[in-house]
Amino acid sequence: MTRLTTHRREPLADLLRAVPEFTPEEVTVALELADQALEASGKGDGDGDGDSDGYRFLLALEDERVTGYVCYGKTPMTAGTFDLYWLAVHPAHRRRGVAQRLVRAMEEELLREGALLVRVETSSAAAYDATRAFYDRVGFERAGLLRDFYKAGNDLVIFAHRLRPAKTGV
Amino acid sequence: MTRLTTHRREPLADLLRAVPEFTPEEVTVALELADQALEASGKGDGDGDGDSDGYRFLLALEDERVTGYVCYGKTPMTAGTFDLYWLAVHPAHRRRGVAQRLVRAMEEELLREGALLVRVETSSAAAYDATRAFYDRVGFERAGLLRDFYKAGNDLVIFAHRLRPAKTGV
């Protein structure tokens, strides 16, 4: 698992364009987040994770090709919640545990920072059946459903993964 | 109901600082969105609503003071969903229907643009009891709950308001 750097921006773009589930608009948005993260790390916030208050990236590499990546960031106005914004694995590298290793690496990092919760939003469309099954499998729970959110017949499914017990009464 | 303009930025800031439910961090974030909207409208996207793809504001005024406002915007990668990001009414002007008029004006505008759904995220904290009751009253339905989202003991409550029937099968 490695960080996003300037010279990995194009390999990341290659991956995004190879993901059949993503629309062109989604590829554009995903790359905008990468460019924001690169711009922030170029300004040097000094903590080595790109931009601690913005978008963070973890990349899975094989022979300098990006086989998968996860993009996440701290949820504003929360004490310890993070949003997992994007998770993608190249079609030629699926069913090998890449997504699970990415999520585990992300969650280990977040636990070290004291995070409590990870939220994921995904689609009810058939193209995302395997995605939803993946989040069920790696410990996320379904926390919400918004009918026709993406478009008519395509709902929003919200998952949450509690990383550790909450300390209440503080 | 009027739009946000540069000379209403300070009256809006006065309102935000008078809202007892908001933390200083929340006031800062709310003003950042206002500044982004003003910057976008200064660049002139030409449709008269500030920034059609960014944050939009509707303000309720009384004697040039802002008595309440709503901030909303199109949800990226959706066909017809909007997020209602902020809704606030000055403590001295509550229980007079200001919030309801703001939401109705926003929803009439969104319906004219063909919007289908409005999403709101709010808190389970006691300070937001009246807020949640308000959304129940004006037609929103509870669509999700994420425990300990804001902090331990402070959950995220997700509301959705369907503005019109979805056309499925298209």
Side-chain angles (χ1 to χ4, degrees):
Chain A
M1 301 304 147
T2 60
R3 294 282 167 197
L4 178 64
T5 56
T6 305
H7 75 277
R8 290 183 189 130
R9 198 260 187 203
E10 278 316 300
L12 175 64
D14 290 339
L15 162 67
L16 284 164
R17 288 187 284 256
V19 172
E21 291 84 1
F22 290 168
T23 64
E25 183 190 1
E26 288 170 334
V27 172
T28 301
V29 172
L31 282 174
E32 282 171 3
L33 304 196
D35 290 334
Q36 284 185 35
L38 286 170
E39 193 186 349
S41 74
K43 285 174 185 164
D45 65 353
D47 57 10
D49 62 4
D51 178 6
S52 64
D53 285 332
Y55 300 110
R56 305 187 197 179
F57 286 73
L58 278 177
L59 277 56
L61 294 182
E62 206 174 291
D63 298 331
E64 282 306 305
R65 287 191 187 169
V66 177
T67 57
Y69 88 106
V70 60
C71 166
Y72 52 104
K74 190 161 189 316
T75 308
M77 295 175 289
T78 67
T81 296
F82 280 75
D83 274 292
L84 189 169
Y85 294 111
W86 296 87
L87 174 63
V89 176
H90 193 287
H93 297 266
R94 293 187 182 177
R95 306 185 66 82
R96 300 181 195 174
V98 175
Q100 186 157 358
R101 285 194 296 278
L102 285 164
V103 169
R104 289 286 173 253
M106 175 195 80
E107 291 185 343
E108 282 166 21
E109 173 188 311
L110 299 184
L111 266 171
R112 285 194 299 272
E113 298 179 22
L116 180 60
L117 203 69
V118 178
R119 172 172 66 173
V120 180
E121 299 186 341
T122 192
S123 159
S124 69
Y128 287 86
D129 283 353
T131 302
R132 296 190 308 282
F134 168 77
Y135 288 118
D136 288 333
R137 203 162 59 237
V138 298
F140 284 75
E141 295 191 351
R142 293 173 192 230
L145 180 74
L146 275 73
R147 297 268 177 217
D148 304 312
F149 178 85
Y150 292 105
K151 63 180 181 180
N154 189 341
D155 309 334
L156 171 69
V157 184
I158 303 165
F159 289 86
H161 189 198
R162 177 183 299 275
L163 301 179
R164 55 179 175 82
K167 287 177 193 142
T168 47
V170 289
Chain B
M1 302 304 149
T2 60
R3 295 281 168 200
L4 177 63
T5 56
T6 306
H7 76 274
R8 290 183 189 130
R9 197 260 187 205
E10 277 317 299
L12 175 63
D14 290 339
L15 161 67
L16 283 164
R17 288 187 282 258
V19 171
E21 290 84 1
F22 291 166
T23 64
E25 183 190 2
E26 288 169 334
V27 172
T28 301
V29 172
L31 282 175
E32 283 172 2
L33 304 197
D35 290 332
Q36 284 187 35
L38 286 170
E39 192 186 348
S41 74
K43 286 174 184 166
D45 65 352
D47 57 8
D49 62 5
D51 177 6
S52 63
D53 285 333
Y55 300 110
R56 306 187 195 178
F57 285 74
L58 278 177
L59 278 55
L61 295 182
E62 206 174 291
D63 300 330
E64 282 305 305
R65 288 190 187 172
V66 177
T67 57
Y69 88 106
V70 58
C71 166
Y72 52 105
K74 190 162 188 315
T75 309
M77 296 175 290
T78 68
T81 295
F82 280 75
D83 273 292
L84 189 169
Y85 295 110
W86 295 87
L87 175 63
V89 176
H90 193 287
H93 295 270
R94 292 185 182 178
R95 305 185 67 82
R96 299 181 196 176
V98 174
Q100 185 156 359
R101 286 195 295 279
L102 285 164
V103 169
R104 289 287 172 248
M106 175 195 78
E107 290 187 341
E108 282 166 19
E109 173 189 311
L110 299 184
L111 266 172
R112 285 194 298 272
E113 299 179 20
L116 179 60
L117 203 69
V118 177
R119 171 173 64 174
V120 180
E121 298 186 341
T122 191
S123 159
S124 69
Y128 286 87
D129 284 353
T131 301
R132 294 191 307 283
F134 168 77
Y135 288 119
D136 287 333
R137 204 162 59 237
V138 298
F140 284 74
E141 294 190 354
R142 293 174 192 229
L145 180 74
L146 275 73
R147 299 265 177 221
D148 304 313
F149 178 85
Y150 292 106
K151 62 180 181 179
N154 189 341
D155 308 334
L156 170 68
V157 184
I158 303 166
F159 288 87
H161 189 197
R162 177 184 298 275
L163 301 179
R164 57 179 174 80
K167 286 177 192 142
T168 47
V170 291

